[in-house]
Amino acid sequence: MTGPAADTESTTPAAPPSLGRKVGSAAKWSLINTVVMRLGNFATGIVLARFFLGPEAWGVYGIAQTVLLVLLSANELGVSLAIVRWEGDPRRFAPTVLTLSAASSCLLYAVLFAVAPAVAGVLGSPEASGVLRVMCLCVVLDGLSQVPAGFLTREFAQGRRMAVDGLNFVLSTAVTLLLAVDGWGAMSFAWGSVVGNVAALIGCCLAAPGTLKFGWDREQARALLKFGLPLAGASMLALGVVNVDTMVVGSALDPLALGFYVLAFNISGWPVRIISEAARRVSFAGFSRLADSPQALAAGFARALGVVMAGTVPICVLLAGLAAPVVELIYGERWLPAARALPWLMALGLVRIGCELAYDCLVAIGRRSSLIGVQALWLVILIPALVIGARTGGIVGVAQGHVLVAGVVVVPVFLLALHRGGIRVGTVARACAWPLLGGAVMAAVLLFLERYLGDSVLALLATGAAGTLCYVLCVLPGRALLKG
């Protein structure tokens, strides 16, 4: 491909010799960035949950966050990925990308503002209407920041991205805490998010100067929409899969149950956000450079999956095996009902991480139709499973429905899609074998030691350390795959 008007299904040239170093450096910065930001968010969440906000406020926040994430999945129509994926100088078509992104974002927000009361009512939280209208201002801000952020991703400039995210975190956290102390409830999250996104937009423009320029070219716009709309559709379906459970719990159960579920789901997302988010900031750009070499792509995907799984499995096992004592220790006794759903949601988190990496790989090699099919199938089967689960088992039933659909239906379908893209099931299995074996041994050790040592702070530390040591010993034989 030589430009935006060319065939968007074409692939990029072979990876240059320096690609490995670029990806490695970017991955390190991305991981540091994600860990620091998530630890900060984690600490902020503890303070808010223990001292200022109850389960009902968390439920309202969860509804608003769900709607926001769904809108963000399609706010720029998928065209911003062309900044990362297409060949040539992206500054030639970036103004058209920005115009499309800004226009679609503003339109989405206008529609949301009009229907916010109805949406909040259907989702079982009428009081979330005002929070929705404020928080979803982030849709417009995100649409404007897509082009400069895309340049940072294309250039593997994760060091500059860390500075931008740090500014976002500091300002959003400060505003959220100040408003929560003053009694603003869930609205404190909304205004904190808006202030943080304003800071991120300014930071991205400073980190990628000259990229926030509007323009229009009809041929470019046509090619961009042809490239982006299928990706936006797949992304919206993917976000629907992740967030439809909050909608089901909000409409089928009471606000208290919704608050407990939102907290449990947020906890289960810690490894997804820390490991998967760090990986995905470089994985799409890296896979795109390897897309024309099936052998190199398969090797790169296997190594990336092995590294991601090796880092994620112990976190998931720790939080699942010690769910109740961890929730009580960190958030307090009143949040203990959330622990009942947590083990199942941790299993879901592990599946999500693998699926998200596969998603990026399939996008990079142009398998957009396969992605839409997989995500649509997932969502169609998931909704009735979650509704049945909510009616029969409450928030635990919802979590179990999630895991059942993901394990029985979605994983096999993703494996089939990867196989058709040149990545065999055996390659995937070898990448996951040692981490999964280590996870099984670690889970057995945790359950055994917790029974005999108890759940005091010292006992939890000893149990966690022993389980992690056993995991490391199990994973060591597969270290050759993880290097590089």
Side-chain angles (χ1 to χ4, degrees), residues 331-384:
Y331 292 99
E333 188 177 355
R334 67 171 173 168
W335 291 97
L336 268 177
R340 296 186 293 114
L342 187 54
W344 297 98
L345 291 175
M346 294 314 308
L348 173 67
L350 193 61
V351 173
R352 281 175 57 197
I353 287 174
C355 290
E356 287 176 358
L357 198 67
Y359 179 99
D360 287 346
C361 182
L362 292 172
V363 171
I365 61 177
R367 296 270 173 174
R368 299 192 289 277
S369 58
S370 297
L371 282 175
I372 293 177
V374 171
Q375 301 293 352
L377 176 66
W378 194 347
L379 189 59
V380 167
I381 298 176
L382 183 62
I383 292 175

Side-chain angles (χ1 to χ4, degrees), residues 67-129:
V67 175
L68 173 62
L69 289 174
V70 172
L71 294 180
L72 288 177
S73 68
N75 69 318
E76 38 72 62
L77 304 177
V79 297
S80 66
L81 285 177
I83 299 293
V84 181
R85 179 70 176 86
W86 283 6
E87 269 193 76
D89 183 5
R91 292 179 185 271
R92 291 188 300 106
F93 54 87
T96 304
V97 172
L98 181 60
T99 301
L100 285 169
S101 178
S104 60
S105 299
C106 290
L107 179 61
L108 271 178
Y109 179 74
V111 172
L112 182 277
F113 189 92
V115 303
V119 171
V122 168
L123 297 179
S125 296
E127 64 273 25
S129 175

Side-chain angles (χ1 to χ4, degrees), residues 11-52:
T11 53
T12 56
S18 61
L19 178 61
R21 290 191 296 272
K22 287 183 178 180
V23 173
S25 175
K28 291 174 185 176
W29 276 110
S30 182
L31 180 60
I32 294 170
N33 180 15
T34 306
V35 169
V36 172
M37 294 304 110
R38 293 309 171 188
L39 286 177
N41 284 324
F42 167 60
T44 304
I46 292 174
V47 172
L48 291 171
R50 288 189 73 96
F51 303 111
F52 301 112

Side-chain angles (χ1 to χ4, degrees), residues 103-191:
S104 60
S105 299
C106 290
L107 179 61
L108 271 178
Y109 179 74
V111 172
L112 182 277
F113 189 92
V115 303
V119 171
V122 168
L123 297 179
S125 296
E127 64 273 25
S129 175
V131 179
L132 272 175
R133 285 174 166 170
V134 173
M135 185 174 283
C136 287
L137 283 169
C138 297
V139 172
V140 178
L141 297 169
D142 181 77
L144 292 172
S145 67
Q146 286 295 313
V147 168
F151 274 88
L152 295 179
T153 301
R154 181 184 180 98
E155 297 166 5
F156 299 99
Q158 292 303 317
R160 281 177 277 167
R161 181 62 184 266
M162 181 175 178
V164 173
D165 290 345
L167 179 65
N168 181 340
F169 169 75
V170 170
L171 293 180
S172 64
T173 300
V175 171
T176 300
L177 288 174
L178 287 172
L179 295 181
V181 171
D182 201 39
W184 285 56
M187 188 64 80
S188 59
F189 285 111
W191 282 114

Side-chain angles (χ1 to χ4, degrees), residues 91-435:
R91 292 179 185 271
R92 291 188 300 106
F93 54 87
T96 304
V97 172
L98 181 60
T99 301
L100 285 169
S101 178
S104 60
S105 299
C106 290
L107 179 61
L108 271 178
Y109 179 74
V111 172
L112 182 277
F113 189 92
V115 303
V119 171
V122 168
L123 297 179
S125 296
E127 64 273 25
S129 175
V131 179
L132 272 175
R133 285 174 166 170
V134 173
M135 185 174 283
C136 287
L137 283 169
C138 297
V139 172
V140 178
L141 297 169
D142 181 77
L144 292 172
S145 67
Q146 286 295 313
V147 168
F151 274 88
L152 295 179
T153 301
R154 181 184 180 98
E155 297 166 5
F156 299 99
Q158 292 303 317
R160 281 177 277 167
R161 181 62 184 266
M162 181 175 178
V164 173
D165 290 345
L167 179 65
N168 181 340
F169 169 75
V170 170
L171 293 180
S172 64
T173 300
V175 171
T176 300
L177 288 174
L178 287 172
L179 295 181
V181 171
D182 201 39
W184 285 56
M187 188 64 80
S188 59
F189 285 111
W191 282 114
S193 297
V194 171
V195 171
N197 274 267
V198 170
L201 173 59
I202 296 172
C204 283
C205 293
L206 294 175
T211 57
L212 199 68
K213 293 181 179 179
F214 291 91
W216 184 255
D217 183 291
R218 183 179 299 178
E219 291 301 317
Q220 290 178 353
R222 185 180 294 113
L224 286 165
L225 291 173
K226 180 182 177 182
F227 170 83
L229 284 177
L231 298 180
S235 181
M236 180 171 283
L237 289 170
L239 265 295
V241 165
V242 174
N243 293 284
V244 70
D245 52 354
T246 303
M247 301 179 185
V248 170
V249 173
S251 58
L253 303 175
D254 57 79
L256 197 64
L258 176 61
F260 291 135
Y261 185 83
V262 169
L263 184 77
F265 194 86
N266 285 345
I267 295 173
S268 74
W270 291 347
V272 178
R273 296 188 187 103
I274 292 175
I275 305 296
S276 183
E277 185 175 311
R280 296 190 78 190
R281 287 185 175 181
V282 296
S283 62
F284 177 66
F287 291 150
S288 296
R289 304 299 196 277
L290 301 174
D292 65 336
S293 174
Q295 186 175 359
L297 179 67
F301 178 80
R303 180 157 289 167
L305 181 61
V307 171
V308 167
M309 294 296 289
T312 305
V313 167
I315 305 176
C316 291
V317 173
L318 274 174
L319 291 174
L322 305 175
V326 166
V327 169
E328 183 176 10
L329 176 66
I330 295 175
Y331 292 99
E333 188 177 355
R334 67 171 173 168
W335 291 97
L336 268 177
R340 296 186 293 114
L342 187 54
W344 297 98
L345 291 175
M346 294 314 308
L348 173 67
L350 193 61
V351 173
R352 281 175 57 197
I353 287 174
C355 290
E356 287 176 358
L357 198 67
Y359 179 99
D360 287 346
C361 182
L362 292 172
V363 171
I365 61 177
R367 296 270 173 174
R368 299 192 289 277
S369 58
S370 297
L371 282 175
I372 293 177
V374 171
Q375 301 293 352
L377 176 66
W378 194 347
L379 189 59
V380 167
I381 298 176
L382 183 62
I383 292 175
L386 295 182
V387 172
I388 294 171
R391 291 176 178 174
T392 58
I395 64 173
V396 177
V398 172
Q400 290 171 336
H402 246 314
V403 176
L404 179 65
V405 173
V408 174
V409 178
V410 179
V411 171
V413 174
F414 259 114
L415 289 174
L416 178 60
L418 287 171
H419 179 77
R420 290 177 175 175
I423 300 172
R424 300 184 179 278
V425 175
T427 301
V428 176
R430 284 190 295 273
C432 298
W434 291 112

